[in-house]
Amino acid sequence: MSYHRDAIAPHGGQLINRVASPEQKEFFLAKAEFLPRVILDERAVSDLEMIAIGGFSPLTGFMNQVDYNRVVEEMRLANGVVWSIPITLSVTEEVGSPLQVGGLVRLDNSQGEYIGVLELSEKYTYNKKREAVNVYRTDEAQHPGVQVVYTQGSVNLAGDIWLLQRNAHPHFPTYQIDPAASRQMFREKGWKTIVGFQTRNPIHRAHEYIQKCALETVDGLFLHPLVGATKEDDIPADVRMRCYEILIEHYYPLDRVILAINPAAMRYAGPREAIFHAIVRKNYGCTHFIVGRDHAGVGDYYGTYDAQYIFDEFEPSELGIVPMKFEHAFYCTRTKQMATTKTSPSTPAERVHLSGTKVREMLRRGELPPPEFSRPEVAAELARAMRIGQPALV
C-alpha cells in the first residue's frame, strides 16, 4: 500500500496490519481447543489491538528481549528506530513455563473470548526495578505505572500477534477510527498538516486555547482522547467524551476537527510517554503533536516541562512528527482573554487557573467552575456526572 499521498509516513515506514483475514481467522479458530491459553488484562487487550491496527507501527507483536532491553536503556528498538515504552506481554512463571517457543498461544480477554493469537518466539525474564527507574524515573510502588510493572508476571512472552476478534467499543463505536481510516479522512479533507491532541482529563478552556493556537497554523485538528485503562480516580471516558462532543458542537469549526478515540492504556510515564503518544499520533497520520504542561505526568514525579525537553534528545527526522510545545495556559483578568506567561503581563493574582482537584471540590459542593475556566455547557455536564455518582467525581 502506498502512502505517497499521506501527509506523513507511519513510524518505521509501513502501517502494520495484524488483523487476521477471514481465512486466517478460520484457521486459528479451528485450533482453538488445542492451543495453550493466556488470559489478557485490560492493558494487554489494548496493546494487542493497537499493534494489530497499526497504532504501534512498526511493532508486529510483543517485544523480544533485544528490543525490550534497548527500549528500556536507550529509547530505541534494536534496529535503531526511536521507541520509548516497552510493549510486553508479562505472565507468571507458572503460566509461561509450559508454553513452547515456536508454537501458537491462544489469547483470551477477561471474559474468556478468544480474541488473538501469539506466535511465541521467545520467553525471557527481566529486571522490574530497572524498567521502573528507566521508564518511569522512579522505583516507588505508589506510582501507578510502576505499580503495574511490580504486580505483573516475571516472564515476558515475545512474538508476532494476530487479532481475531475486535468488538465495537461499547460506548463510542462511531469514534472507533483506526489509523488507516484516519489517514483516509485526512486525505479526503485535503489536510496536509494535522495536529494531534492527547488527553485523559475533561477538556477546559486552557486545553481549548492551546488546541486553537495550534489549529491556526495547521489544516486540521485530531482530538484523540485516550479511553483505555486509566487510574481509578481519573474522570471516566464517557464523561470526557461527552464534554468533547459538547465543546465541538458549540465552539469549534466542524470542518476543521475530527474526534476519535485512542484505545491505548495510560502508562503515566511522563516524558517517555510524551514521545510514545507522539509516535502513535504519527501512525494515525498527524504531522504535529501538542505537548503541554506535565504531559502524561502523575503526582510530582516529573518536572513541569520535562515532557517537552525530551524531544530535544532526538533528531527531528528520527521522530518525523513535530512537537508543538505550549506553556501552561490560564484566563488573564487583565487582558480579558486566555493566555500564557509568554503573552500575558498579568501577575499570578490576575490568572484564573483551577486544578482538577479544585474543580472536583467545587462540583462536590454543587458549584460550577467559572466560565473563565470551563465553558458553561461543559461544566454542566461535569455537574450532571457528579449528581449521578460517577466514581471519579465523588
Side-chain angles (χ1 to χ4, degrees):
M1 184 174 181
S2 173
Y3 292 98
H4 68 279
R5 291 184 295 131
D6 284 356
I8 191 171
H11 199 53
Q14 179 185 0
L15 192 65
I16 299 301
N17 176 10
R18 302 294 294 185
V19 179
S21 67
E23 295 76 21
Q24 288 172 315
K25 184 175 179 179
E26 186 179 348
F27 172 78
F28 289 130
L29 288 177
K31 294 177 172 289
E33 298 309 313
F34 307 101
L35 296 180
R37 185 179 318 204
V38 169
I39 298 172
L40 307 183
D41 61 15
E42 185 180 2
R43 188 167 93 169
V45 170
S46 289
D47 288 348
L48 175 72
E49 181 177 334
M50 288 295 284
I51 294 167
I53 65 176
F56 287 173
S57 298
L59 302 189
T60 55
F62 292 102
M63 286 182 177
N64 61 31
Q65 190 167 16
V66 176
D67 278 331
Y68 168 82
N69 284 332
R70 193 161 184 204
V71 167
V72 169
E73 296 287 347
E74 303 176 48
M75 291 189 286
R76 294 179 186 276
L77 299 171
N79 63 6
V81 170
V82 174
W83 194 273
S84 57
I85 297 285
I87 302 298
T88 56
L89 177 56
S90 303
V91 298
T92 62
E93 265 188 58
E94 182 183 12
V95 170
S97 181
L99 302 178
Q100 296 297 312
V101 171
L104 299 177
V105 178
R106 168 178 167 168
L107 303 176
D108 285 12
N109 63 17
S110 58
Q111 289 80 49
E113 296 173 310
Y114 179 18
I115 60 169
V117 168
L118 172 69
E119 298 175 350
L120 185 61
S121 61
E122 190 179 352
K123 299 187 289 187
Y124 60 96
T125 57
Y126 61 104
N127 185 320
K128 293 186 177 187
K129 186 170 182 178
R130 184 184 66 137
E131 180 174 331
V133 170
N134 283 23
V135 176
Y136 299 98
R137 300 190 179 184
T138 179
D139 60 1
E140 294 182 7
Q142 57 263 45
H143 183 292
V146 173
Q147 189 176 47
V148 170
V149 174
Y150 285 175
T151 55
Q152 69 192 15
S154 59
V155 176
N156 284 343
L157 306 180
D160 289 347
I161 59 90
W162 292 102
L163 183 67
L164 304 189
Q165 177 178 325
R166 184 171 181 221
N167 299 327
H169 195 283
H171 303 299
F172 323 114
T174 59
Y175 295 115
Q176 200 169 15
I177 301 169
D178 293 347
S182 59
R183 286 170 169 271
Q184 177 66 27
M185 294 170 81
F186 300 159
R187 285 197 297 270
E188 289 172 355
K189 289 179 175 289
W191 292 353
K192 299 299 184 188
T193 50
I194 305 99
V195 64
F197 184 81
Q198 148 77 28
T199 181
R200 70 175 197 269
N201 293 312
I203 188 167
H204 50 70
R205 290 197 62 182
H207 294 141
E208 180 186 343
Y209 173 73
I210 63 175
Q211 289 168 9
K212 288 181 174 176
C213 284
L215 188 52
E216 290 285 2
T217 67
V218 297
D219 297 331
L221 172 65
F222 188 56
L223 292 178
H224 207 211
L226 182 145
V227 299
T230 57
K231 296 190 284 92
E232 286 186 5
D233 60 346
D234 277 351
I235 304 295
D238 58 330
V239 177
R240 292 185 277 120
M241 287 294 288
R242 284 199 300 272
C243 290
Y244 264 116
E245 290 173 331
I246 291 165
L247 201 74
I248 290 170
E249 180 184 353
H250 294 284
Y251 297 103
Y252 283 69
L254 297 179
D255 61 338
R256 298 281 302 280
V257 182
I258 292 174
L259 175 64
I261 56 172
N262 174 12
M266 194 71 197
R267 260 76 179 183
Y268 305 96
R272 278 200 182 220
E273 193 159 11
I275 296 289
F276 180 60
H277 285 162
I279 289 170
V280 168
R281 277 30 180 247
K282 176 185 176 183
N283 285 327
Y284 275 83
C286 295
T287 57
H288 295 68
F289 182 65
I290 292 170
V291 186
R293 169 184 169 274
D294 196 25
H295 185 104
V298 63
D300 298 319
Y301 288 102
Y302 312 110
T304 305
Y305 296 107
D306 283 359
Q308 297 183 358
Y309 304 147
I310 195 172
F311 282 84
D312 300 332
E313 297 180 24
F314 303 97
E315 291 296 326
S317 60
E318 293 185 298
L319 287 172
I321 190 167
V322 178
M324 301 184 80
K325 303 173 183 179
F326 286 92
E327 291 199 5
H328 187 45
F330 49 81
Y331 184 84
C332 171
T333 57
R334 189 189 300 191
T335 59
K336 301 291 189 291
Q337 61 188 3
M338 298 299 298
T340 71
T341 54
K342 283 185 173 180
T343 55
S344 167
S346 61
T347 64
E350 295 173 302
R351 301 168 188 169
V352 178
H353 163 64
L354 298 176
S355 68
T357 302
K358 286 182 179 177
V359 171
R360 284 192 286 271
E361 288 171 357
M362 293 182 73
L363 291 169
R364 284 192 203 100
R365 294 194 300 266
E367 302 170 16
L368 293 184
E372 294 87 358
F373 174 79
S374 180
R375 295 292 189 181
E377 299 90 342
V378 172
E381 178 58 33
L382 291 172
R384 187 196 71 82
M386 171 66 80
R387 286 195 302 273
I388 64 174
Q390 290 284 0
L393 293 171
V394 295

